[in-house]
Amino acid sequence: MPVNADTVDVDIQGAINSQDFGVKDGDPFTAAAFYTAPDSPIGVWPCVSGICAAAYAVPDTFTFSADGSTVSSSNFAPPNNDIYVAAGPVESSLSWIFSSNLVINGPLSIASSNLLELFLINFAGPSSVLDSPQIPEDFPALNEWSNPYNQWPNNGIELTTANGDLRGTITSMTSQVVTPEPSFLPLLVLGFVGDCFVRRHFGRSGSHT
């Protein structure tokens, strides 16, 4: 992780809208994915027609849960797993792409395939969301990824295997930093030590009265 970088947790809720595996349409799902910010890309593509794109390493596995099934990845290292960010004059997009080592448990395990396994978490919206392919330090709110004219695919999740597909639409989302900024770490340590000192000092003083 770069110096002064944070790990950001993006928590997602939504509803299944298309599936081949017995999960009910309309049933809720939850998912979580992580990224590091600020971060340096592991791959950069030349800009074409004003569209610039970059890929970033995934700092931790994703999780997905629906109808008693879970999906995650046992190996989220690049190049088969990454975060793809694109910014252009019309569209912005950010996607987590996991294309190897999927771990599928529960009823969805019938989807497992050695031939093809792909899990995507997609956000797409107007060019105003991202002004560059740099991964955002503050993840844009879901309403910023608006799609009023259905110009882009709905923000959602997708599990694709040789045995079929499962798709869901994201209906709500929150994000939070799950690692403190390094500049705050000395203060946290000093605060902890100071608190222990005060407790011990007053504890001893109280024992002599």
Side-chain angles (χ1 to χ4, degrees), residues 49 59 70 81 116 128 185 199:
S49 300
T70 60
N81 308 279
L116 171 66
S128 58
L185 290 178
R199 289 175 182 271

Side-chain angles (χ1 to χ4, degrees), residues 92 123-130 136 138-148 152 155 173 175:
S92 300
F123 288 89
S127 60
S128 58
V129 182
L130 302 174
D138 297 314
F139 198 82
L142 187 59
N143 62 353
E144 295 182 62
W145 298 102
S146 60
N147 190 8
W152 306 282
N155 301 314
M173 181 211 71
S175 63

